[in-house]
Amino acid sequence: MARVTATILDGKSTRDAIFSDLRTRVAALAERGVTPGLGTVLVGDDPGSHAYVRGKHRACEKVGITSIRRDLPADISQADLEAVIDELNADPACTGYIVQLPLPSHLDEGAVLERIDPAKDADGLHPVSLGRLVLGETGPLPCTPRGIVELLRRFEVPIAGANVTVVGRGVTVGRPLGLLLTRRSENATVTLCHTGTKDLAAEVSRADIVVAAAGKVGLITPEMVKPGAAVLDVGITRTEDGLAGDVAAGVREVAGHLAPMPGGVGPMTVAMLLTNTVEAAERSLAA
Ligand SMILES: Nc1nc2c(c(=O)[nH]1)N[C@@H](CN(C=O)c1ccc(C(=O)N[C@@H](CCC(=O)O)C(=O)O)cc1)CN2
């Protein structure tokens, strides 16, 4: 008998469809004299961070967004980095920007994020943006959580009423995803697991949707997953054998839907960054 495998939540084709829509919106903005400009601030030589930033600039080119790049040395001081942030805050060509994370450990990440002008926060990670998310107000949403919700919606995976187990409480994925999924518009019930969770397998096994964002290779095994559940792999670990996700290979045979790594949630992160950038420009016109 043929084995049944999960429907793939294809982030690449979904990203391409979103880019196509954004191209039209950017052209409409241009007709009204507005050109969105996305800036990136990259500190140090981490090859992964460099690759992500390159990907963001390539994406801007595809969609027609102007991009601005600030690559800075790994040993930059907090004061010099904050001076670059102040420059971007003042630059009218830069309508939104991001600081690529993680920053080298000698830098105060929280202070850097807080210094970004909230009106230019393309990543939705400024405390004001996160506060708006808590309050249910309009504003930029963190890109990976927004990409996860968008991917589920486009593949018609039911979210309302679903039990969602999120594994990982990081500030870019797990925590804001919990807030996003519990808004009235999503209406999911969320369990947020972390290193203090007593019985991870039990929390995963009762979930209709599992989001693995712990950065631990193969953490989610087939035995843990409820047959037919949607599983989204957000973990990326660089190993000697290449990139590895948090979800073990055999999960594909148990899950109903799978967002694999690579090719699932990652491409959606960039699509949502550009969406945030275009939406901010549209909001500025409306205002
Ligand atoms: N300021 C931010 N920093 C970081 C974020 C973020 O949203 N804002 N998220 C991640 C990195 N990231 C974007 O910045 C990102 C991660 C992964 C992907 C991606 O497309 N991954 C590929 C596979 C990985 C690869 O090929 O190297 C995939 O899943 O198919 C894009 C963006 C941390 N930092």
Side-chain angles (χ1 to χ4, degrees), residues 12 15 48-49 51-53 56 98-102 113 123 125 143-144 172 233 236 238 243 260-270:
K12 283 189 179 172
R15 169 200 63 195
S49 293
Y52 300 140
V53 167
K56 290 173 186 185
I98 63 112
V99 175
Q100 188 63 34
L101 302 176
L113 291 177
D123 245 344
L125 296 176
C143 300
T144 303
T172 53
D233 194 353
I236 303 180
R238 285 165 204 280
L243 295 180
M261 197 299 295
V265 172
M268 293 299 290
T269 298
V270 179

CSV table of all heavy atoms in Angstrom, one decimal, residues 12 15 48-49 51-53 56 98-102 113 123 125 143-144 172 233 236 238 243 260-270, ligand 1:
chain,number,residue,atom,x,y,z
A,12,LYS,N,8.0,28.6,-0.5
A,12,LYS,CA,8.6,29.3,-1.7
A,12,LYS,C,7.6,29.8,-2.7
A,12,LYS,O,7.6,31.0,-3.1
A,12,LYS,CB,9.6,28.4,-2.4
A,12,LYS,CG,10.9,28.3,-1.6
A,12,LYS,CD,11.9,27.5,-2.4
A,12,LYS,CE,13.2,27.4,-1.7
A,12,LYS,NZ,14.2,26.6,-2.4
A,15,ARG,N,5.6,32.6,-1.1
A,15,ARG,CA,6.4,33.8,-1.1
A,15,ARG,C,6.3,34.5,-2.5
A,15,ARG,O,6.1,35.7,-2.6
A,15,ARG,CB,7.8,33.5,-0.7
A,15,ARG,CG,8.8,34.7,-1.0
A,15,ARG,CD,10.2,34.2,-1.1
A,15,ARG,NE,10.4,33.3,-2.2
A,15,ARG,CZ,11.4,32.5,-2.4
A,15,ARG,NH1,12.4,32.5,-1.5
A,15,ARG,NH2,11.5,31.7,-3.5
A,48,GLY,N,25.4,33.0,8.2
A,48,GLY,CA,24.0,32.9,8.1
A,48,GLY,C,23.3,34.3,8.0
A,48,GLY,O,22.5,34.5,7.1
A,49,SER,N,23.7,35.2,8.9
A,49,SER,CA,23.1,36.5,8.9
A,49,SER,C,23.4,37.2,7.6
A,49,SER,O,22.5,37.9,7.0
A,49,SER,CB,23.7,37.3,10.1
A,49,SER,OG,23.2,36.8,11.3
A,51,ALA,N,23.8,35.8,4.7
A,51,ALA,CA,22.9,35.2,3.7
A,51,ALA,C,21.5,35.7,3.8
A,51,ALA,O,20.8,36.1,2.8
A,51,ALA,CB,22.9,33.7,3.8
A,52,TYR,N,21.0,35.9,5.0
A,52,TYR,CA,19.6,36.4,5.2
A,52,TYR,C,19.5,37.8,4.7
A,52,TYR,O,18.5,38.2,4.0
A,52,TYR,CB,19.1,36.3,6.6
A,52,TYR,CG,19.2,34.9,7.2
A,52,TYR,CD1,19.6,34.6,8.5
A,52,TYR,CD2,18.7,33.8,6.4
A,52,TYR,CE1,19.6,33.3,8.9
A,52,TYR,CE2,18.8,32.5,6.9
A,52,TYR,CZ,19.2,32.3,8.1
A,52,TYR,OH,19.2,31.0,8.6
A,53,VAL,N,20.5,38.6,5.0
A,53,VAL,CA,20.4,40.0,4.6
A,53,VAL,C,20.5,40.1,3.0
A,53,VAL,O,19.8,40.9,2.4
A,53,VAL,CB,21.5,40.8,5.3
A,53,VAL,CG1,21.7,42.2,4.6
A,53,VAL,CG2,21.2,41.0,6.8
A,56,LYS,N,17.2,39.4,1.7
A,56,LYS,CA,16.3,40.6,1.9
A,56,LYS,C,16.5,41.6,0.8
A,56,LYS,O,15.5,42.1,0.2
A,56,LYS,CB,16.4,41.2,3.2
A,56,LYS,CG,15.9,40.2,4.3
A,56,LYS,CD,16.2,40.7,5.8
A,56,LYS,CE,15.8,39.6,6.8
A,56,LYS,NZ,15.9,39.9,8.2
A,98,ILE,N,15.5,47.2,9.4
A,98,ILE,CA,15.6,46.1,10.4
A,98,ILE,C,17.1,46.1,10.9
A,98,ILE,O,18.0,46.5,10.2
A,98,ILE,CB,15.3,44.7,9.9
A,98,ILE,CG1,16.3,44.3,8.7
A,98,ILE,CG2,13.9,44.7,9.3
A,98,ILE,CD1,17.2,43.2,9.1
A,99,VAL,N,17.3,45.6,12.1
A,99,VAL,CA,18.6,45.3,12.7
A,99,VAL,C,18.7,43.7,12.7
A,99,VAL,O,17.9,43.1,13.3
A,99,VAL,CB,18.8,45.8,14.1
A,99,VAL,CG1,20.2,45.4,14.6
A,99,VAL,CG2,18.7,47.3,14.1
A,100,GLN,N,19.6,43.2,11.9
A,100,GLN,CA,19.7,41.7,11.8
A,100,GLN,C,20.1,41.1,13.1
A,100,GLN,O,21.1,41.6,13.7
A,100,GLN,CB,20.6,41.3,10.6
A,100,GLN,CG,20.7,39.8,10.3
A,100,GLN,CD,19.3,39.3,9.8
A,100,GLN,OE1,18.6,40.0,9.1
A,100,GLN,NE2,19.0,38.1,10.2
A,101,LEU,N,19.4,40.1,13.6
A,101,LEU,CA,19.7,39.5,14.9
A,101,LEU,C,20.2,38.1,14.6
A,101,LEU,O,19.9,37.5,13.6
A,101,LEU,CB,18.4,39.4,15.7
A,101,LEU,CG,17.7,40.8,16.0
A,101,LEU,CD1,16.4,40.6,16.7
A,101,LEU,CD2,18.7,41.7,16.8
A,102,PRO,N,21.0,37.5,15.5
A,102,PRO,CA,21.4,38.1,16.8
A,102,PRO,C,22.6,39.1,16.6
A,102,PRO,O,23.3,39.0,15.6
A,102,PRO,CB,21.9,36.9,17.6
A,102,PRO,CG,22.4,35.9,16.5
A,102,PRO,CD,21.5,36.1,15.3
A,113,LEU,N,17.2,47.8,19.7
A,113,LEU,CA,15.8,47.7,19.1
A,113,LEU,C,14.9,48.9,19.5
A,113,LEU,O,14.2,49.4,18.8
A,113,LEU,CB,15.2,46.4,19.5
A,113,LEU,CG,15.8,45.1,18.8
A,113,LEU,CD1,15.1,43.9,19.4
A,113,LEU,CD2,15.7,45.2,17.3
A,123,ASP,N,10.4,45.2,11.2
A,123,ASP,CA,10.4,43.8,11.8
A,123,ASP,C,9.3,43.6,12.8
A,123,ASP,O,9.1,42.5,13.2
A,123,ASP,CB,11.8,43.6,12.5
A,123,ASP,CG,12.6,42.6,11.8
A,123,ASP,OD1,12.1,41.8,11.0
A,123,ASP,OD2,13.8,42.6,12.1
A,125,LEU,N,9.5,44.3,15.9
A,125,LEU,CA,10.2,43.9,17.1
A,125,LEU,C,10.4,45.0,18.1
A,125,LEU,O,11.0,44.8,19.2
A,125,LEU,CB,11.5,43.1,16.8
A,125,LEU,CG,11.3,41.8,16.0
A,125,LEU,CD1,12.7,41.3,15.6
A,125,LEU,CD2,10.5,40.8,16.7
A,143,CYS,N,7.9,39.2,11.7
A,143,CYS,CA,7.8,38.6,10.4
A,143,CYS,C,7.6,37.1,10.4
A,143,CYS,O,6.8,36.6,9.6
A,143,CYS,CB,9.1,38.9,9.6
A,143,CYS,SG,9.2,40.7,9.4
A,144,THR,N,8.3,36.3,11.2
A,144,THR,CA,8.2,34.9,11.2
A,144,THR,C,6.8,34.5,11.7
A,144,THR,O,6.1,33.7,11.0
A,144,THR,CB,9.3,34.2,11.9
A,144,THR,OG1,10.6,34.6,11.4
A,144,THR,CG2,9.2,32.7,11.9
A,172,THR,N,11.7,36.5,18.7
A,172,THR,CA,11.4,36.7,17.2
A,172,THR,C,10.3,35.8,16.8
A,172,THR,O,9.6,36.0,15.8
A,172,THR,CB,12.6,36.5,16.3
A,172,THR,OG1,13.2,35.3,16.6
A,172,THR,CG2,13.6,37.7,16.5
A,233,ASP,N,8.2,23.6,10.8
A,233,ASP,CA,9.6,23.5,11.3
A,233,ASP,C,10.3,24.9,11.2
A,233,ASP,O,10.5,25.3,10.0
A,233,ASP,CB,10.4,22.5,10.5
A,233,ASP,CG,11.7,22.1,11.2
A,233,ASP,OD1,12.1,22.8,12.2
A,233,ASP,OD2,12.4,21.2,10.7
A,236,ILE,N,16.5,26.3,12.7
A,236,ILE,CA,17.6,26.1,11.7
A,236,ILE,C,18.9,26.0,12.5
A,236,ILE,O,19.3,26.9,13.2
A,236,ILE,CB,17.7,27.4,10.8
A,236,ILE,CG1,16.4,27.7,10.1
A,236,ILE,CG2,18.9,27.2,9.8
A,236,ILE,CD1,16.5,28.9,9.2
A,238,ARG,N,23.0,25.0,11.9
A,238,ARG,CA,24.1,24.6,10.9
A,238,ARG,C,24.9,23.5,11.5
A,238,ARG,O,25.6,23.7,12.5
A,238,ARG,CB,24.9,25.9,10.6
A,238,ARG,CG,24.2,26.8,9.7
A,238,ARG,CD,24.7,28.2,9.6
A,238,ARG,NE,23.6,29.1,9.2
A,238,ARG,CZ,23.1,29.2,8.0
A,238,ARG,NH1,23.7,28.6,7.0
A,238,ARG,NH2,22.1,30.0,7.7
A,243,LEU,N,22.3,22.2,6.8
A,243,LEU,CA,21.3,22.8,7.7
A,243,LEU,C,20.4,21.7,8.2
A,243,LEU,O,20.0,20.7,7.5
A,243,LEU,CB,20.4,23.7,6.9
A,243,LEU,CG,21.1,25.0,6.4
A,243,LEU,CD1,20.1,25.9,5.6
A,243,LEU,CD2,21.7,25.8,7.5
A,260,PRO,N,8.3,22.3,5.8
A,260,PRO,CA,9.7,21.8,6.1
A,260,PRO,C,10.7,22.9,6.2
A,260,PRO,O,10.5,24.0,5.9
A,260,PRO,CB,10.0,21.0,4.8
A,260,PRO,CG,9.2,21.7,3.7
A,260,PRO,CD,8.0,22.4,4.4
A,261,MET,N,11.9,22.5,6.7
A,261,MET,CA,13.0,23.4,6.7
A,261,MET,C,14.1,22.7,5.9
A,261,MET,O,14.5,21.6,6.3
A,261,MET,CB,13.5,23.7,8.1
A,261,MET,CG,14.4,25.0,8.2
A,261,MET,SD,15.9,24.9,7.3
A,261,MET,CE,16.8,23.6,8.1
A,262,PRO,N,14.5,23.2,4.7
A,262,PRO,CA,14.2,24.5,4.2
A,262,PRO,C,12.9,24.5,3.3
A,262,PRO,O,12.4,23.4,3.1
A,262,PRO,CB,15.4,24.8,3.2
A,262,PRO,CG,15.8,23.5,2.8
A,262,PRO,CD,15.6,22.5,4.0
A,263,GLY,N,12.4,25.6,3.0
A,263,GLY,CA,11.3,25.8,2.0
A,263,GLY,C,10.0,26.0,2.6
A,263,GLY,O,9.0,26.1,1.8
A,264,GLY,N,9.9,26.1,3.9
A,264,GLY,CA,8.5,26.3,4.5
A,264,GLY,C,8.4,27.8,5.1
A,264,GLY,O,8.1,28.7,4.3
A,265,VAL,N,8.7,27.9,6.4
A,265,VAL,CA,8.5,29.2,7.0
A,265,VAL,C,9.5,30.2,6.6
A,265,VAL,O,9.2,31.4,6.6
A,265,VAL,CB,8.4,29.0,8.6
A,265,VAL,CG1,8.4,30.3,9.3
A,265,VAL,CG2,7.2,28.1,8.9
A,266,GLY,N,10.8,29.8,6.4
A,266,GLY,CA,11.9,30.8,6.1
A,266,GLY,C,11.5,31.8,5.0
A,266,GLY,O,11.6,33.0,5.3
A,267,PRO,N,11.1,31.3,3.8
A,267,PRO,CA,10.8,32.2,2.8
A,267,PRO,C,9.7,33.2,3.1
A,267,PRO,O,9.6,34.3,2.7
A,267,PRO,CB,10.4,31.3,1.6
A,267,PRO,CG,11.1,30.0,1.9
A,267,PRO,CD,11.1,29.9,3.4
A,268,MET,N,8.8,32.7,4.0
A,268,MET,CA,7.6,33.5,4.4
A,268,MET,C,8.1,34.7,5.3
A,268,MET,O,7.5,35.8,5.3
A,268,MET,CB,6.6,32.7,5.2
A,268,MET,CG,5.9,31.7,4.4
A,268,MET,SD,5.0,32.4,3.0
A,268,MET,CE,3.6,33.2,3.9
A,269,THR,N,9.2,34.5,6.0
A,269,THR,CA,9.7,35.6,6.9
A,269,THR,C,10.1,36.8,6.0
A,269,THR,O,9.8,37.9,6.3
A,269,THR,CB,11.0,35.1,7.6
A,269,THR,OG1,10.6,34.0,8.5
A,269,THR,CG2,11.6,36.2,8.5
A,270,VAL,N,10.7,36.5,4.9
A,270,VAL,CA,11.2,37.6,4.0
A,270,VAL,C,9.9,38.3,3.3
A,270,VAL,O,9.8,39.5,3.2
A,270,VAL,CB,12.2,37.1,3.0
A,270,VAL,CG1,12.6,38.3,2.0
A,270,VAL,CG2,13.4,36.5,3.7
B,1,LIG,N1,15.9,41.2,12.6
B,1,LIG,C1,15.7,39.9,12.4
B,1,LIG,N2,16.6,39.0,12.6
B,1,LIG,C2,16.3,37.7,12.5
B,1,LIG,C3,15.0,37.3,12.0
B,1,LIG,C4,14.0,38.3,11.8
B,1,LIG,O1,12.9,38.1,11.4
B,1,LIG,N3,14.4,39.6,12.0
B,1,LIG,N4,14.7,36.0,11.7
B,1,LIG,C5,15.9,35.0,11.6
B,1,LIG,C6,16.6,35.1,10.3
B,1,LIG,N5,15.9,35.3,9.1
B,1,LIG,C7,15.6,36.6,8.8
B,1,LIG,O2,16.2,37.5,9.2
B,1,LIG,C8,15.6,34.3,8.2
B,1,LIG,C9,15.8,33.0,8.5
B,1,LIG,C10,15.6,32.0,7.5
B,1,LIG,C11,15.2,32.3,6.3
B,1,LIG,C12,15.1,31.2,5.2
B,1,LIG,O3,14.6,31.5,4.1
B,1,LIG,N6,15.6,30.0,5.5
B,1,LIG,C13,15.7,29.0,4.5
B,1,LIG,C14,16.7,28.0,4.9
B,1,LIG,C15,18.0,28.6,5.5
B,1,LIG,C16,19.0,28.8,4.5
B,1,LIG,O4,18.9,28.5,3.3
B,1,LIG,O5,20.1,29.4,4.9
B,1,LIG,C17,14.4,28.2,4.5
B,1,LIG,O6,13.8,27.9,5.6
B,1,LIG,O7,14.0,27.7,3.4
B,1,LIG,C18,15.0,33.6,5.9
B,1,LIG,C19,15.2,34.6,6.9
B,1,LIG,C20,16.9,35.4,12.7
B,1,LIG,N7,17.2,36.7,12.7
